[in-house]
Amino acid sequence: MDYPIPRRPGFDPPDEFAALRATAPVCPVSLRHGQEALLVTRYDDVRAVLRDHERFSSDPARPGFPQLRPVVDRKAAPGSFLVTDPPEHTRYRKMLTGEFTVRRMNELRPHVERITRERLDALLAGPRPADLVAGFALPVPSDVICLLLGVPVEDQEFFSTRSRAHLNRSLTADQVRTALDELHAYLEDLIRTRRAAPGDDLVGRLVADPSLTVGEAVGMTVLLLVGGHETTANSIALSVLALLRDRAQWEALAADPDLVDDAVEELLRYLSPVHHGVVRAVAGDARVGDCPVREGEGVIASLFAANRDPAEFPDPDRLDLRRSAKSHLAFGSGVHQCIGHLLARLEMRVALRALVTALPDLRLAVPFEEVAFRFDAPIYGLRSLPVTW
């Protein structure tokens, strides 16, 4: 079986996932570079892999590390804490932990609400139909991450297009490499400027640490910049589309916006935007469920399949905003759980609450079948979302 498995328009994972969970929960698959790996689809198994960082390594230099990107990663770039193991990962992560605490999110909330209100006002003042992706879902988290990092908002389009190219798995390796080189050059200039004149922002505080090299600071900032807006932007747009498709769900939130906080957890479970999964190299002989895995093999832990596992979430293919879904794995688990998960939750909650409050009669401006999904990236989303009110 080739992997990734092709998607069809809509929110559901490919049918193969359900069949694999039932009959082959650890299944050999073929990847784009001719490599073989093992696809893991059951909730308990996926969670176990993600939490065992000693036997399942995030380091691309390890034999068997699954290569899903057009560019083959032979080793982790400096600062790329997403693809490093402890203790190096611990060092990088510790530098950022204080920026994403509950306390910090509470301090940031008024700014997120202001940005959301400004973007919503601009949307309302513009023409109808409107594209909710370009006019709201993408700008809100982009503005927030610009504020957090200290990146000028006027450079938003530059880093947005490069980060999307970086994640676009339909592009050639040369195209991806060019986009990433341009992003690195931009951030290196920003970081050198901050070192010369520190500011009260995340990058300014990061580069104040003399032990951090410019290369490491660039690598860390790339991850924050790309992950800090792309995933959340797609999650907001997909959530709105899912709610509008099932009108009763949208109306329930409009009638009681206090439902939004719990609804966000169910939407994250149901949508699972990181749809290609999380890759690991087997660093020591282990078992995944009933299946032995050997050192030197590669594993793909499917967050999407795990979040639709009926053993953990009864009737998993139904969107139920009153479901207790906090055990979902949309942000991963273990030491590599998304460091910005609290920020993503905050942005989604504020954005959805603002929309259902200000636009209770929001509706699609085209038939659902005409909405263009974007599946050519590890984080899926929408190319556009035409809406009116």
Side-chain angles (χ1 to χ4, degrees):
M1 178 185 294
D2 291 336
Y3 193 85
I5 302 169
R7 296 285 305 274
R8 64 179 186 275
F11 310 107
D12 294 330
D15 293 339
E16 289 88 340
F17 281 137
L20 290 174
R21 274 197 310 266
T23 62
V26 183
C27 176
V29 292
S30 299
L31 309 183
R32 65 185 299 159
H33 298 290
Q35 187 183 14
E36 299 291 316
L38 298 170
L39 177 65
V40 181
T41 50
R42 287 181 179 169
Y43 178 92
D44 286 343
D45 295 342
V46 168
R47 187 171 180 270
V49 167
L50 297 179
R51 287 176 168 246
D52 187 349
H53 65 268
E54 294 182 354
R55 288 180 294 183
F56 296 94
S57 170
S58 300
D59 184 354
R62 288 269 192 178
F65 184 87
Q67 300 286 347
L68 295 181
R69 298 178 60 228
V71 177
V72 174
D73 298 309
R74 298 299 183 190
K75 63 178 182 179
S80 295
F81 55 89
L82 193 64
V83 287
T84 55
D85 295 327
E88 190 175 19
H89 169 267
T90 308
R91 171 180 167 248
Y92 291 142
R93 186 100 175 191
K94 189 175 181 180
M95 294 179 183
L96 295 169
T97 301
E99 302 289 342
F100 296 97
T101 61
V102 172
R103 177 181 177 181
R104 182 72 182 102
M105 293 305 102
N106 288 336
E107 293 171 352
L108 197 59
R109 176 181 282 274
H111 299 286
V112 175
E113 291 174 340
R114 172 185 56 78
I115 287 168
T116 301
R117 185 170 59 253
E118 290 171 353
R119 288 296 184 174
L120 184 55
D121 287 346
L123 185 77
L124 292 171
R128 285 182 277 177
D131 178 5
L132 196 78
V133 171
F136 184 78
L138 183 58
V140 167
S142 296
D143 287 356
V144 172
I145 201 65
C146 281
L147 173 70
L148 194 65
L149 295 178
V151 174
V153 173
E154 57 267 25
D155 293 340
Q156 183 184 108
E157 184 177 356
F158 173 88
F159 75 72
S160 180
T161 55
R162 272 64 177 182
S163 69
R164 288 200 162 194
H166 169 49
L167 294 171
N168 190 337
R169 289 178 176 165
S170 71
L171 299 180
T172 66
D174 285 344
Q175 290 172 313
V176 173
R177 193 175 290 109
T178 297
L180 196 54
D181 286 347
E182 291 173 348
L183 189 57
H184 277 206
Y186 171 87
L187 290 172
E188 184 173 338
D189 182 62
L190 175 71
I191 285 163
R192 292 188 187 281
T193 300
R194 284 290 188 281
R195 276 237 156 112
D200 186 21
D201 50 55
L202 193 153
V203 171
R205 290 187 288 274
L206 196 62
V207 300
D209 188 329
S211 72
L212 196 69
T213 68
V214 170
E216 288 175 322
V218 169
M220 295 174 76
T221 308
V222 165
L223 289 180
L224 295 172
L225 193 56
V226 175
H229 80 282
E230 188 72 18
T231 308
T232 310
N234 290 336
S235 297
I236 291 170
L238 289 167
S239 294
V240 172
L241 180 59
L243 294 166
L244 293 181
R245 191 186 189 194
D246 185 348
R247 191 73 199 181
Q249 306 271 25
W250 179 267
E251 291 174 353
L253 290 186
D256 185 4
D258 287 340
L259 293 175
V260 165
D261 287 5
D262 288 338
V264 162
E265 301 303 320
E266 169 67 352
L267 286 161
L268 286 164
R269 179 203 71 82
Y270 179 76
L271 298 168
S272 297
V274 184
H275 67 145
H276 288 170
V278 175
V279 297
R280 296 287 188 265
V282 182
D285 291 353
R287 299 187 71 83
V288 178
D290 296 328
C291 181
V293 294
R294 304 301 181 196
E295 184 174 356
E297 293 183 313
V299 167
I300 303 169
S302 174
L303 308 180
F304 210 157
N307 282 337
R308 295 293 188 96
D309 188 343
E312 178 68 17
F313 304 103
D315 195 9
D317 295 329
R318 182 172 64 90
L319 179 63
D320 179 2
L321 301 186
R322 297 181 184 276
R323 184 198 303 267
S324 177
K326 291 183 179 180
S327 62
H328 69 77
L329 299 175
F331 293 113
S333 189
V335 298
H336 281 283
Q337 183 184 37
C338 174
I339 196 170
H341 70 94
L342 292 177
L343 177 60
R345 285 178 160 106
L346 171 62
E347 291 172 324
M348 287 183 68
R349 289 167 178 169
V350 170
L352 289 178
R353 183 182 287 267
L355 285 170
V356 298
T357 301
L359 292 171
D361 57 346
L362 187 72
R363 61 189 183 277
L364 291 178
V366 297
F368 176 81
E369 293 72 21
E370 293 182 15
V371 175
F373 282 78
R374 185 166 58 87
F375 293 131
D376 52 9
I379 304 163
Y380 84 103
L382 306 174
R383 299 188 187 281
S384 63
L385 182 56
V387 293
T388 191
W389 54 91

